Amino acid sequence: MTITGTRTTLRLPAAPPQRPPEGGGLLMLLPALGGLGSVALVAGNGLGSGGPMRLRSLLAAGLFLLVTVAFVVLQVERQVRRRRAHAGQSRDDHRHHLARARQSVVRAADLQRAEALDRHPAPATVVAHSPDPGEHLTVRIGVGTGRLGLDLELPEPIPGQPSDLAAQLALERFVEHHRHVRDLPVAVDLAETGDLVIDGPGEAARAVARAWVCSAARIDPARLRIAVLADDAEAFAAWEWLKWLPHHGSPTDRDDVGPARLRATSLQDLLPAAGTHHLLVIDERRPAPTSPTSGPATTIRPAGGPVAGATTVSTGPAARVRRGGADVTPADFRPDTCDLATATASARRRAALVPPSGPGDLAALLRGSPRMHLRVPIGTGIEGAPVHLDLRETAEGGHGPHGLVIGATGSGKSELLRTLVTGLAMTHSPEELNLVLVDFKGGATFSSLGALPHTAALITNLEDDLTLVDRMHDAVAGELVRRQEVLRDAGDVARVTDLPRGGQAVPSLLVVVDEFTELLVTRPDLAELFASIGRVGRSLGVHLLLASQRLDEGRLRGLESHLGFRIALRTHTAAESRAVIGSADAHELPPRPGAGLLATGPGAVTRFQTLLVSAPEPRRTVGRTVLPFTSAPVRDPSSNEHVEPALLERVVAEARHRAHDGRAARRIWLPPLREAPELPRLLASVPDPGVRRLPVGLVDLPRAQRHAPLLLDLAGAGGHVAIVGAPRSGRTTLLRTIGEALAASAPTRTRLALVDLGGGLTRLARLPQVSSCVGRGEPEELRRLADDLMAEAARRRRDRANDPDLFVLVDGWAALREGWPDVEAALAGLAQESLSFGIHLVLTATRWADLRLPLRDVIGTRLELRLGDPVDSGHGRARAAAVPTMPGHGLTPDGHPFLAAVPGEAVSDGRRP
């Protein structure tokens, strides 16, 4: 229990010192002694004379005596007046200093009382304040006298110099009178108080309880729920007014007039709401009062039954406060009271100040807000007004193009991101806004949003396949380059907003990256991409929103200055909250999903509750009957319930329906190549295929944002082909694909000779273009084929005429080198000059080291599949290690990923490499 007030110190003026006694008493006696001597001399001379001389002597002596006595008296009186004047001046000065100190003390007391009453106003005036979400769970229970917020410090006495007694007494009376302040609110912390028992007559106790409940209504309904437990109708009627308070509504249950009111005859019927404190008004006459069994709760018991360990407040003129049997009554304590009419009026006005407890309706807020580019509501504020996020430049009145969202697990971060994207999709067409949605973990955050026509890229599950991270980097970087080229082609325009109308449309692009902190742990180089967006995104119309559960400031280096706004949901620690918004407020948010703070600048922080868009919406259709609003459940017999799909689902479905007219975002992200293309379809998609344009697969070009046919030019220096890959990497299949592609695209200009040392080329033997096919078990035929090739080369060397190109396909060069070194040497030697007369060598090998250097030098087309050891790669270890393990994946001579096509025969057999 506390009497509110803060502590500072006021040093009081010291009492003046006493004036020490003045010396010189002997000096005052000297004239008197001289006068007395003169009197004695004159009187002695006169007594010795006679006649008139004697009379004159006695008169002169008497005159001397009178003057001497008068002089002494006047001197003493003069010194007394001087002492009194000096003491009076010192005391007047001290009283003047005390008067100024009194003014300071009175002002401090008035300010202390005003501040305390502002935090804990009287029940009759509590309606003037809206709930404070940062308010602690403190409730005013009355008023009393408390210590002044100023510590009145008395000066230390000076040793050997006593103070003036009157001034010192005045100083002590000043301190005694002003050290306390009357009529300060007395408050209790509900988090530390279990039971509050009111000891007094029934109606008087209820008046006190009503005042306490009105004070508790200042607390955010998200943090405090007020319930009533009673055992008779009369008690329920006494608390009927609570129905107007939002705190009295259930966060989960509803009836036909709104949230179900929290009232019951048994505690088991009141299920606690997660993350909230319960204030239970137990108005029972049972012999054994009900006690809370679990969950954070405080009880107010106007019935007055004894409860062990409770804080008991007695009513009446001599009100007392006892806790655990000890008297802890503040001085001059008076408990608050509130009549039923005042409590009802307070509750009804409070209902108008507190926003509804539901999550809000995004569609309704959009209908009630003016439409502005890149500005959407993301939640509702403390007063129920919409809180908007504006992605425009600060110079245009927005919050900035780039921002940050931090929220712990369960804080509602994913729902906030979905709400933002949904709102933007509802207010912008794909021609105005495109989306890039990146989720490092899983994909639940954006899984439903990939079908939006605004979505240019949906990239998920990066944690499971880190190669996707590199593709994402290339895709986003490629989009930045493309937009820069558009500006350059338009005449070096500075910004996309300045592009001339009627030209190429460049919509705004919002890049949302969820769990960016873990993404940067995996790929630190992505920080440079984010910083690049921060630098050039403003002119290119690219906006960046980074979201994560935790914040690692070190990984934001180079990007902090570009973040125009920051959103903090509930954080794990106070330090994280300070790192995000500069204060610990986010750590103190209630543990309710969606509660957050929007910081748009120094000191500009707005509290909001996120709108809910991804949950189905239960609806109740009521009839035309006028229903009463009571604390008891209200049901309309003519009503019926149904569940509508989530707003997000409805928005996606409507947007997809509108997209049927062709309005959709330009895709900047294509999924990785997973399914091998079929060779017949690939050949049909390439105009004029042949030796110069031989399609054998698809190339993945994420930076160019497309998949392109892998075209081999075998007419020039690239006429010899080497396919290198580990076992089961798809070497033989790719060799067959090349053979079938040659036969299909240039049937009259192609001849094939097959050396099948792996057993996979026999399927090509049926082609009419195949002149010979030699297997591992035919050594003599293999040597004869080598001799024939040498003879053919000699003939063509003499007279090429119009002979078709001859392609020698060797599957298993390492086996040829090991088993038939003479044949290997002959073919390697032939390859040095055979391209000039139309003889090509197409081979497969396990490693590049299987090819001798002279042969390797004349291989113009090198197709590298997955290697057994990435160190052997000609494209670098990192790129080779990123090649998927699925057969057919590899790297082109330029280092781009590709996926080989499957031969037509394999397609017809239903097989994949």
Side-chain angles (χ1 to χ4, degrees), residues 558-766:
L559 191 60
E560 302 95 327
S561 60
H562 301 291
L563 298 177
F565 64 90
R566 300 188 178 207
I567 297 176
L569 303 172
R570 193 180 72 258
T571 59
H572 289 95
T573 64
E576 284 186 353
S577 176
R578 282 189 287 269
V580 180
I581 60 174
S583 70
D585 293 346
H587 181 60
E588 300 172 359
L589 287 171
R592 177 184 63 189
L597 298 166
L598 169 62
T600 56
V605 180
T606 304
R607 165 76 187 274
F608 69 92
Q609 176 63 39
T610 305
L611 299 169
L612 187 62
V613 298
S614 61
E617 301 179 16
R619 301 288 187 182
R620 178 180 291 273
T621 304
V622 297
R624 298 178 179 271
T625 306
V626 178
L627 302 176
F629 182 41
T630 64
S631 61
V634 178
R635 294 294 181 186
D636 183 359
S638 62
S639 66
N640 61 81
E641 295 183 352
H642 66 281
V643 177
E644 290 187 358
L647 176 63
L648 184 150
E649 297 179 9
R650 302 199 303 270
V651 170
V652 170
E654 182 179 353
R656 293 184 64 183
H657 177 73
R658 293 198 305 265
H660 286 167
D661 58 3
R663 299 193 308 165
R666 178 182 179 275
R667 306 297 294 185
I668 70 172
W669 166 270
L670 296 176
L673 296 171
R674 298 300 187 195
E675 185 174 355
E678 301 172 0
L679 181 59
R681 294 186 179 181
L682 185 63
L683 289 169
S685 66
V686 176
D688 300 326
V691 175
R692 295 184 179 276
R693 291 170 49 83
L694 187 67
V696 296
L698 289 178
V699 183
D700 188 12
L701 301 171
R703 185 174 288 268
Q705 303 162 0
R706 63 191 180 94
H707 292 158
L710 173 57
L711 301 177
L712 304 183
D713 184 1
L714 305 182
H720 294 317
V721 182
I723 304 170
V724 177
R728 303 192 64 81
S729 62
R731 299 186 312 255
T732 302
T733 303
L734 178 54
L735 188 61
R736 288 173 48 203
T737 297
I738 293 177
E740 286 198 12
L742 289 168
S745 60
T748 61
R749 300 296 304 166
T750 300
R751 293 294 180 267
L752 302 177
L754 309 180
V755 179
D756 186 10
L757 302 182
L761 295 184
T762 55
R763 298 176 184 274
L764 292 179
R766 61 177 178 78

Side-chain angles (χ1 to χ4, degrees), residues 230-558:
D231 55 1
D232 57 41
E234 186 267 339
F236 278 127
W239 298 99
E240 178 74 13
W241 62 277
L242 284 178
K243 65 188 179 183
W244 300 105
L245 285 178
H247 310 68
H248 193 48
S250 170
T252 56
D253 299 333
R254 300 179 65 87
D255 62 10
D256 288 338
V257 293
R261 276 65 68 200
L262 296 174
R263 50 168 274 170
T265 57
S266 171
L267 185 64
Q268 286 70 28
D269 296 335
L270 293 173
L271 297 178
T276 59
H277 193 96
H278 272 72
L279 181 63
L280 305 178
V281 180
I282 303 179
D283 197 343
E284 299 177 328
R285 299 298 183 269
R286 300 175 185 175
T290 305
S291 298
T293 57
S294 63
T298 301
T299 64
I300 296 179
R301 303 173 183 268
V307 178
T311 299
T312 303
V313 178
S314 60
T315 61
R320 310 300 297 172
V321 180
R322 293 179 174 83
R323 176 177 293 168
D327 192 338
V328 292
T329 307
D332 304 323
F333 174 72
R334 303 186 306 278
D336 286 331
T337 60
C338 183
D339 59 71
L340 183 59
T342 301
T344 303
S346 174
R348 297 187 68 163
R349 294 177 186 175
R350 173 65 67 218
L353 292 174
V354 179
S357 58
D361 188 343
L362 176 60
L365 291 181
L366 288 174
R367 287 192 296 269
S369 301
R371 185 184 183 281
M372 299 179 66
H373 187 58
L374 297 178
R375 181 177 182 268
V376 291
I378 58 173
T380 54
I382 296 175
E383 305 295 339
V387 174
H388 291 83
L389 181 63
D390 195 334
L391 299 178
R392 295 176 301 165
E393 294 278 0
T394 53
E396 300 175 358
H399 300 146
H402 315 303
L404 181 70
V405 176
I406 300 295
T409 303
S411 64
K413 171 175 62 67
S414 297
E415 186 65 20
L416 172 63
L417 298 179
R418 286 191 289 265
T419 299
L420 172 63
V421 172
T422 302
L424 290 170
M426 294 175 68
T427 54
H428 297 76
S429 68
E431 292 86 357
E432 297 173 308
L433 175 68
N434 291 170
L435 302 168
V436 173
L437 308 176
V438 182
D439 191 354
F440 180 72
K441 285 187 173 181
T445 301
F446 304 123
S447 59
S448 301
L449 298 168
L452 281 173
H454 307 71
T455 303
L458 176 63
I459 312 171
T460 61
N461 295 313
L462 298 180
E463 185 181 30
D464 298 334
D465 188 355
L466 296 181
T467 60
L468 298 180
V469 178
D470 299 325
R471 296 188 77 256
M472 181 206 74
H473 179 284
D474 291 341
V476 176
E479 178 63 14
L480 297 180
V481 172
R482 186 188 72 85
R483 289 174 175 249
Q484 290 171 334
E485 292 175 349
V486 171
L487 295 182
R488 184 172 61 251
D489 295 342
D492 291 329
V493 177
R495 305 168 63 92
V496 294
T497 54
D498 299 333
L499 287 171
R501 295 182 178 275
Q504 183 176 355
V506 181
S508 299
L509 180 67
L510 174 61
V511 181
V512 185
V513 184
D514 195 12
E515 302 301 344
F516 80 94
T517 300
E518 297 190 40
L519 181 61
L520 292 179
V521 171
T522 305
R523 289 289 192 272
D525 56 307
L526 280 177
E528 178 56 34
L529 174 65
F530 296 153
S532 177
I533 296 176
R535 290 190 299 268
V536 304
R538 300 171 186 269
S539 61
L540 300 180
V542 180
H543 306 258
L544 180 64
L545 181 60
L546 301 175
S548 183
Q549 295 183 18
R550 295 184 178 274
L551 176 63
D552 185 351
E553 287 189 287
R555 301 193 180 277
L556 285 178
R557 192 174 296 111

Side-chain angles (χ1 to χ4, degrees), residues 815-826:
L816 180 67
R817 180 177 176 181
E818 180 179 353
W820 299 271
D822 54 333
V823 177
E824 184 263 348

Side-chain angles (χ1 to χ4, degrees), residues 7-12 149-153:
R7 312 298 305 168
T8 54
T9 301
L10 175 66
R11 186 176 180 85
L12 297 176
L150 285 173
D151 284 330
L152 302 179
E153 181 179 344

Side-chain angles (χ1 to χ4, degrees), residues 51-134:
M53 187 64 180
R54 182 180 181 180
L55 179 60
R56 286 195 299 271
S57 297
L58 292 175
L59 289 174
L63 182 60
F64 270 114
L65 179 62
L66 179 63
V67 171
T68 300
V69 172
F71 175 78
V72 172
V73 171
L74 289 176
Q75 283 292 98
V76 171
E77 192 272 340
R78 176 173 172 272
Q79 288 196 8
V80 170
R81 284 202 312 270
R82 288 178 59 187
R83 288 177 58 88
R84 288 178 177 174
H86 184 272
Q89 182 64 39
S90 299
R91 289 170 182 168
D92 287 344
D93 291 342
H94 188 250
R95 282 195 295 270
H96 177 69
H97 291 315
L98 284 183
R100 288 191 297 178
R102 182 178 293 106
Q103 293 176 358
S104 298
V105 170
V106 170
R107 284 196 302 268
D110 292 342
L111 180 61
Q112 178 181 348
R113 186 182 297 107
E115 290 178 349
L117 290 174
D118 183 66
R119 289 191 298 272
H120 300 289
T125 59
V126 72
V127 296
H129 300 265
S130 60
D132 182 2

